[in-house]
Amino acid sequence: MNGSDPDRAPVTAPVSAPASTPTSTPLIGLTTYLEQATTGVWDVSAAFLPEVYFDAVIRAGGIAVLLPPQPANPETVGRVLDALDGLIVTGGKDVDPARYGQAAHPLTDQPRRDRDAWEDELLRAAIERDLPFLGICRGAQLLNVSLGGTLHQHLPDLLGHTGHQAGGGVFGVVDVVVAPDSRLHDLLEAPQSTVTVPVYHHQSIDRLGAGLSVTAVTGEGVVQAVELAGAGFGVAVQWHPEQDPDDLRLFAGLVDAARGYRAARSTPNRRISE
């Protein structure tokens, strides 16, 4: 999981979810963790996801469905995506550096190869069918790696500080500059080019994957958002939008795109990307 400035706007503007009927409410899949968890007398391996993720989807007008790591074969992935109208690849442990041809940094997490494989297949299949998707933190990094890019494994080695991940589960904030001609800029609906966002990550995108463009960076040049060219909705951010309960803009954007995808699927001879 990893005095006011006229050009700065916090990402806090509230947004109302559009009205929908039960038949038009889009189904949004969210990937989950698979970790050792303790509850009551039980200490077991369990799939889970912080409530703030799926609560944001529900409040944005979608139906949240959790997707635990499982065998990443094309048939299983296809069946899952056949049922979904949108996908969120959530935050979590570091992507296995072997996926982008590097040895592990001493501070890189132990790999969760089952989750890497599962989410990689979900993303590739979602891109192939133009299913709307949103990547968050790890999700942005995995998207980049899936498309042939690489990661900086430990930002403090480059920046000389731990401002992007102070530790202890406490989210920091950074200012990011958003590209004015990007979908992200349209989603945030902010007249300013700079927004303040919550972060918790020690890795970041290095070499870009195929088809991706950078749509937000910090003043130090750390990539904070990318978009996939040609996708109906293919947005990924390094920050954690789910941490601001008053700001649903990215989730509402995904849910709206998913609603359009659902409508297009149910209409013969209509292009999904319209």
Side-chain angles (χ1 to χ4, degrees):
M1 292 194 54
N2 208 341
S4 66
D5 184 328
D7 279 338
R8 182 175 295 115
V11 186
T12 56
V15 63
S16 299
S20 62
T21 65
T23 56
S24 67
T25 304
L27 207 63
I28 309 296
L30 300 97
T31 61
T32 71
Y33 305 72
L34 183 58
E35 301 290 341
Q36 200 69 17
T38 302
T39 176
V41 299
W42 307 109
D43 183 2
V44 296
S45 179
F48 69 98
L49 187 70
E51 182 183 12
V52 287
Y53 281 102
F54 53 86
D55 180 63
V57 169
I58 294 166
R59 291 191 298 116
I63 299 171
V65 178
L66 302 189
L67 307 175
Q70 54 197 285
N73 60 72
E75 180 182 1
T76 299
V77 169
R79 288 287 301 277
V80 169
L81 295 188
D82 283 346
L84 297 180
D85 306 304
L87 174 68
I88 297 177
V89 182
T90 63
K93 297 292 187 179
D94 298 333
V95 177
D96 184 359
R99 284 188 165 265
Y100 49 96
Q102 293 183 12
H105 185 282
L107 295 178
T108 293
D109 295 329
Q110 287 296 311
R112 302 303 195 269
R113 295 188 178 95
D114 55 348
R115 186 177 179 189
D116 288 347
W118 171 239
E119 292 181 346
D120 178 80
E121 284 295 325
L122 285 172
L123 273 171
R124 290 175 183 274
I127 291 169
E128 183 176 351
R129 60 179 67 197
D130 202 19
L131 180 79
F133 69 86
L134 172 66
I136 295 177
C137 197
R138 167 193 159 90
Q141 296 170 4
L142 185 70
L143 171 66
N144 190 60
V145 170
S146 294
L147 295 175
T150 63
L151 304 178
H152 293 298
Q153 288 193 54
H154 193 57
L155 279 175
D157 290 348
L158 299 176
L159 304 179
H161 64 78
T162 59
H164 293 82
Q165 188 187 75
V170 178
F171 286 81
V173 293
V174 298
D175 296 330
V176 302
V177 179
V178 180
D181 57 348
S182 63
R183 177 182 286 272
L184 180 63
H185 189 276
D186 293 341
L187 290 169
L188 295 180
E189 298 179 337
Q192 298 89 347
S193 61
T194 302
V195 295
T196 303
V197 297
V199 293
Y200 198 89
H201 64 99
H202 80 114
Q203 300 194 338
S204 69
I205 290 172
D206 182 9
R207 189 184 72 241
L208 272 180
L212 294 177
S213 60
V214 175
T215 55
V217 295
T218 68
E220 295 173 299
V222 177
V223 174
Q224 285 290 330
V226 292
E227 295 176 13
L228 181 61
F233 189 102
V235 176
V237 296
Q238 182 63 74
W239 70 83
H240 282 270
E242 80 284 355
Q243 292 301 314
D244 187 345
D246 295 322
D247 184 7
L248 297 177
R249 286 176 288 183
L250 294 183
F251 296 98
L254 174 69
V255 168
D256 186 60
R259 187 177 291 109
Y261 179 89
R262 179 177 179 81
R265 273 200 309 189
S266 63
T267 304
N269 301 320
R270 181 177 174 186
R271 293 177 58 194
I272 297 296
S273 59
E274 290 179 348

